[in-house]
Amino acid sequence: MQLDNVDFAMRAVSVDYLAPARFDDLLEIFVRVERIGTTSITYDHAAYRIDDDGGDTLMATAKATLVCIALDERRPVPVPEEFRKQVMEFDG
């Protein structure tokens, strides 16, 4: 999605590593929007290793908060309604 004169800057990220990954592991990554605030958005992430037996192992979880900023002023601004609407339509 193209956002006019705004972008998202990383505010905070936390990661919990639960199991080691190896070079040839097949990983499946899930990302969902946890919350859209006035000027920020928080994402939840989960990484799973797809095991040979058909199961999966949770490898890591993460939470990232990004702040919507005006590119010309480099200050927080409200999340654009069009962005908010598209996320809500996708997420249900």
Side-chain angles (χ1 to χ4, degrees), residues 68-87:
C68 187
I69 61 167
L71 293 174
D72 55 351
E73 300 174 32
R74 296 285 185 205
R75 64 176 184 80
V77 294
V79 173
E81 276 306 312
E82 183 60 26
F83 179 84
R84 185 183 303 272
K85 178 182 169 192
Q86 286 195 17
V87 169

Side-chain angles (χ1 to χ4, degrees), residues 21-74:
R22 294 182 178 76
F23 177 72
D24 287 337
D25 285 347
L26 178 60
L27 301 177
E28 189 170 26
I29 312 300
F30 295 91
V31 179
R32 75 172 191 90
V33 173
E34 177 185 282
R35 175 182 175 276
I36 300 178
T38 303
T39 61
S40 66
I41 186 166
T42 301
Y43 294 97
D44 279 330
H45 306 75
Y48 291 85
R49 180 181 60 228
I50 307 304
D51 298 325
D52 292 337
D53 62 6
D56 52 14
T57 301
L58 180 60
M59 307 295 286
T61 60
K63 187 177 299 273
T65 300
L66 291 84
V67 175
C68 187
I69 61 167
L71 293 174
D72 55 351
E73 300 174 32
R74 296 285 185 205

